[in-house]
Amino acid sequence: MSQNGHTYRRVAVIGAGPSGYAAARALALEKKFDVIRVFERRDKVGGIWHFDPLPDEFPLKPASRVTIPPQFPTLAPPAAEDITARTALYEKLDSNVGAEIMAFSHAPFPLHNSAVSVLRLGHNNASRPFQVVQQYLETLFQEFRQFVSLSTTVERAEKKGDKWILSLRQPGHAESNGQPRDFWWQENFDAVVVATGHYNVGAIPNIEGINETYKKVPVVFEHSKSYRSPDNYVAKKVVVVGGNISAADIVTDLHAIVKGPLYSAQRGLNEKLIPAWNLPGVVRKPQLKRVFASSDELANGQVGVEFSDGEVVTNVDKIIFATGFRVAYPFIQPNNPVTSTNRLDGVYEHIVRIGDPSLAFVGQVKGGLSFRVYEYQAVAIARILAGRANLPSVAEQKEWEKKRLSLKGDSVAFHEILPDFGPYWNRLREIAGKPSPESNSYELPEWQQEWADTALAILAKKSLWWDEQTQIARAKL
């Protein structure tokens, strides 16, 4: 029985990526739950670590919701593809968190580097190509594959009384006459663990003229989620919007091949990434103020941009928004905890709804050092649902949220852990407590500061490589 007096026997996990795996494993190890079900809308486990050659579209408006049928079970006409399910991977992507700390504590990554990473970071470096991460997750999930329902979308998760009612849709069925249909049904659960992550819907800043200009020349506008290959930008005039690691990686790929200079528009300066903005051919600018298109530009499929310092650049072929993602859990209806300011409201330590831990989240953090932080979150949640955790009172949870808002602000930064890894990981450890003798679980290790250095070593090596490229270019002048 949990702290709030409820018994949770049937638990649903939404998503079969790394956070979904962490949740499924932690729940199984508790040996307290009668039913564990994992629902994944893609046709394979692994979540965002699968490459989709065809990218998502530019996210100026949220995807339309599928109409829920009035009765269940039923067959219905096929729904349109949810293109937000397409991943953000590009052809040469390597992990940005050191493999030793990125991996789950019970399963190290195999040592395998991409050719690009060896050229830039050296042999036996701490990055891993996405294919290795993908295979790692598929292998780990085999132990819990019996829990997983693939190609199954949770279209609605609604709490009625003490039960969560999940409305589920699965394509690939047919009427007796051969007409393709989606099969719809419902299942009931005592608790829901949301593990769909936060890399689904790209965030686009509110910029003067963007809506009108996008309608006229949509081909110019991209989100980093749609970035696939530098081949698409050769000899093009490009503006990259954003100042964090995704922007730095794209600038690294493109600075030497675009029709220079490559403009990097940033609202603020990330000191650790300065070497990327100093690469030859890169011009760092303040944030983007306005986009527009003259008649000549429209004829050529180009636009103009104005930066906040007043400089205007015309004949731009591509604007790539490496501006992060929106928190999006549209299937939680009603009482969706996502705010208009892009955070979760009323959720303690980013993991459980305050006053009702039957709704939990794994993976809703920024800069937390995945996948290991997912493991810590999942173990804490599993213990909470098993009634074995040290969950503070509702009053204390509300006070935590109040203080967090004061510290981080009412935005997605509310969920940012960097640089306070130790305090957060150790709080999850305290909540989880020690494992029950009746379980197969384990005690989470206490945070060690050297983990941060190990995890962020890739960034340090990238900085050295960026500096080397700049020095080589200057020597040629």
Side-chain angles (χ1 to χ4, degrees), residues 177-190:
N177 60 7
Q179 289 294 316
R181 290 290 184 265
D182 289 349
F183 177 61
W184 288 80
W185 77 102
Q186 290 184 324
E187 294 186 29
N188 300 342
F189 297 91
D190 302 310

Side-chain angles (χ1 to χ4, degrees), residues 99-392:
E100 182 180 344
I101 303 305
M102 179 177 172
F104 297 111
S105 65
H106 58 280
F109 278 113
L111 176 55
H112 182 85
N113 293 135
S114 70
V116 170
S117 76
V118 170
L119 288 171
R120 295 178 179 179
L121 309 180
H123 288 282
N124 299 328
N125 67 76
S127 74
R128 297 292 183 270
F130 75 81
Q131 296 92 336
V132 170
V133 181
Q134 170 190 320
Q135 185 59 55
Y136 172 83
L137 292 169
E138 290 180 340
T139 300
L140 289 180
F141 241 121
Q142 290 177 8
E143 184 178 358
F144 306 103
R145 185 62 181 79
Q146 70 274 18
F147 299 154
V148 182
S149 178
L150 295 174
S151 300
T152 304
T153 301
V154 178
E155 294 291 359
R156 182 171 63 196
E158 180 180 6
K159 191 169 189 184
K160 294 183 177 180
D162 289 337
K163 297 293 182 182
W164 283 91
I165 315 299
L166 268 55
S167 299
L168 305 160
R169 180 178 62 84
Q170 190 175 71
H173 297 259
E175 299 275 17
S176 57
N177 60 7
Q179 289 294 316
R181 290 290 184 265
D182 289 349
F183 177 61
W184 288 80
W185 77 102
Q186 290 184 324
E187 294 186 29
N188 300 342
F189 297 91
D190 302 310
V192 171
V193 180
V194 178
T196 54
H198 53 91
Y199 297 107
N200 297 307
V201 181
I204 303 298
N206 185 19
I207 296 171
E208 179 184 344
I210 190 170
N211 287 280
E212 310 90 89
T213 311
Y214 170 74
K215 291 176 182 177
K216 296 174 182 177
V217 276
V219 68
V220 172
F221 298 86
E222 293 181 3
H223 187 271
S224 58
K225 187 184 179 187
S226 299
Y227 181 78
R228 289 295 182 270
S229 169
D231 293 343
N232 299 326
Y233 308 91
V234 174
K236 295 184 183 296
K237 184 179 281 190
V238 177
V239 175
V240 177
V241 184
N244 282 313
I245 191 64
S246 293
D249 283 348
I250 292 173
V251 165
T252 299
D253 279 358
L254 303 186
H255 76 279
I257 63 170
V258 299
K259 182 180 180 181
L262 172 62
Y263 293 93
S264 173
Q266 302 172 25
R267 183 173 55 185
L269 180 63
N270 186 331
E271 299 284 345
K272 294 183 178 180
L273 298 176
I274 287 177
W277 320 133
N278 289 337
L279 284 166
V282 178
V283 174
R284 183 176 178 268
K285 299 296 295 180
Q287 68 188 81
L288 200 60
K289 177 183 177 182
R290 180 173 67 99
V291 295
F292 59 90
S294 67
S295 56
D296 289 341
E297 285 172 322
L298 287 176
N300 294 323
Q302 298 173 318
V303 303
V305 301
E306 180 182 357
F307 301 102
S308 60
D309 63 359
E311 181 177 354
V312 173
V313 175
T314 57
N315 302 314
V316 173
D317 297 295
K318 290 288 183 182
I319 305 176
I320 306 173
F321 288 87
T323 45
F325 291 81
R326 294 203 61 79
V327 180
Y329 304 110
F331 47 84
I332 303 175
Q333 301 173 18
N335 302 320
N336 192 302
V338 178
T339 70
S340 60
T341 55
N342 204 24
R343 70 172 183 89
L344 291 181
D345 179 59
V347 174
Y348 175 65
E349 290 288 11
H350 321 288
I351 57 170
V352 288
R353 176 174 271 173
I354 295 174
D356 182 11
S358 72
L359 177 61
F361 298 85
V362 177
Q364 185 50 63
V365 285
K366 287 170 56 66
L369 303 183
S370 60
F371 301 155
R372 193 75 62 87
V373 75
Y374 304 159
E375 177 183 346
Y376 275 59
Q377 290 182 319
V379 170
I381 288 167
R383 301 259 173 85
I384 289 169
L385 296 179
R388 296 165 172 164
N390 303 311
L391 188 64

